[in-house]
Amino acid sequence: QAYVLQNQGDTINLFQFRKPIAYSKTWQWQKSLVDARVAESQLPDCLLLLEHLDVYTLGRGANEANVLSACNNAEIFRVERGGDVTYHGPGQLVGYPILNLNRYRKDLHWYVRMLEQVVIQSIGDFGLHGERIQGLTGVWVQDHKVAAIGISVSKWITMHGFALNVNPDLSAFRNIIPCGINNRPVGSLCQLSSTPIAIQDVRQSVLHHFSKLFGINYNECPLPTLD
């Protein structure tokens, strides 16, 4: 598959949270951003880049049997994205692109492959070879899943996105069957790299490759107050 620039330097709004934030706050904000763009399609696209406090989320088709334990009292949400159950927490870089695919390509498979490609190129900056596995969604390194992807779309406006394990507490994944896949382990960049990797450096690589692949520039915006 060819990965080509789809836009000609459009500018999107970038929101970077520097401290882990509760899942419910950004979930509600994502929904409000999507609703606004469904109503007014000329509004600019957005990218939210952040870490979450400990949380488990189940996609719209998730099997609750894949939640194996009480999850150490962490919050659990069932949400609109595709996919099964996953964990988010500190040390995991999460990206939520709010994109109007009318500006890029109205093809959800293409979009998911593009998010995978952002991750593959970003971790390549740290000497790690990311791979896809036929029939599955996400990115693997040395047969360990390091990135999960789950999206939802309303009137071609995207929501949810990708989660890249830089250095999270991997024991949190023991409470679930991650993404419903019980025969492939979850891993992190720091676990699989021979040298330390800082999440801030991964942020910069992700921003760079997202910009190049989607053909956009950033307008970094002040963060809203989320209740």
Side-chain angles (χ1 to χ4, degrees):
Q1 179 175 354
Y3 299 97
V4 297
L5 302 185
Q6 298 298 314
N7 278 4
Q8 299 297 321
D10 284 0
T11 297
I12 73 171
N13 290 338
L14 172 64
F15 298 92
Q16 292 204 74
F17 293 79
R18 303 295 182 177
K19 296 180 180 179
I21 184 169
Y23 185 87
S24 59
K25 293 183 178 182
T26 56
W27 182 28
Q28 296 301 322
W29 188 37
Q30 280 188 82
K31 290 192 280 190
S32 70
L33 291 171
V34 170
D35 289 345
R37 282 151 181 80
V38 168
E40 297 184 50
S41 61
Q42 76 276 14
L43 289 174
D45 293 340
C46 303
L47 174 62
L48 285 56
L49 207 57
L50 53 98
E51 298 170 67
H52 279 303
L53 298 172
D54 291 326
V55 67
Y56 294 87
T57 67
L58 294 92
R60 54 184 177 267
N63 183 349
E64 292 185 4
N66 289 329
V67 180
L68 303 177
S69 68
C71 297
N72 300 328
N73 298 315
E75 291 186 298
I76 302 176
F77 295 93
R78 184 176 285 276
V79 298
E80 315 86 343
R81 64 165 174 79
D84 209 284
V85 62
T86 196
Y87 162 79
H88 301 302
Q92 181 192 75
L93 184 64
V94 175
Y96 295 134
I98 312 295
L99 304 183
N100 184 342
L101 292 183
N102 287 291
R103 297 173 177 152
Y104 305 87
R105 184 165 161 181
K106 294 196 293 185
D107 182 334
L108 300 187
H109 294 288
W110 169 87
Y111 177 59
V112 170
R113 300 291 86 78
M114 287 287 280
L115 295 182
E116 290 172 344
Q117 192 67 19
V118 169
V119 171
I120 288 169
Q121 293 186 197
S122 298
I123 67 179
D125 292 344
F126 302 91
L128 294 169
H129 177 63
E131 297 179 297
R132 298 178 177 85
I133 292 180
Q134 184 70 31
L136 300 176
T137 298
V139 177
W140 278 259
V141 174
Q142 300 171 27
D143 207 37
H144 289 68
K145 189 170 188 178
V146 298
I149 293 172
I151 65 167
S152 67
V153 178
S154 177
K155 302 288 180 63
W156 294 110
I157 310 296
T158 68
M159 182 177 164
H160 298 290
F162 61 87
L164 174 57
N165 296 331
V166 180
N167 194 25
D169 177 5
L170 293 176
S171 70
F173 287 96
R174 297 175 190 160
N175 298 313
I176 60 174
I177 299 176
C179 303
I181 303 170
N182 60 12
N183 62 345
R184 295 183 185 275
V186 172
S188 71
L189 304 190
C190 288
Q191 172 197 23
L192 299 166
S193 172
S194 59
T195 57
I197 297 175
I199 197 165
Q200 182 55 37
D201 293 336
V202 179
R203 277 179 180 257
Q204 295 308 311
S205 284
V206 166
L207 287 172
H208 171 74
H209 291 291
F210 190 95
S211 170
K212 293 296 184 183
L213 284 164
F214 284 94
I216 53 87
N217 300 307
Y218 299 113
N219 171 39
E220 186 152 6
C221 299
L223 299 178
T225 300
L226 300 179
D227 298 324

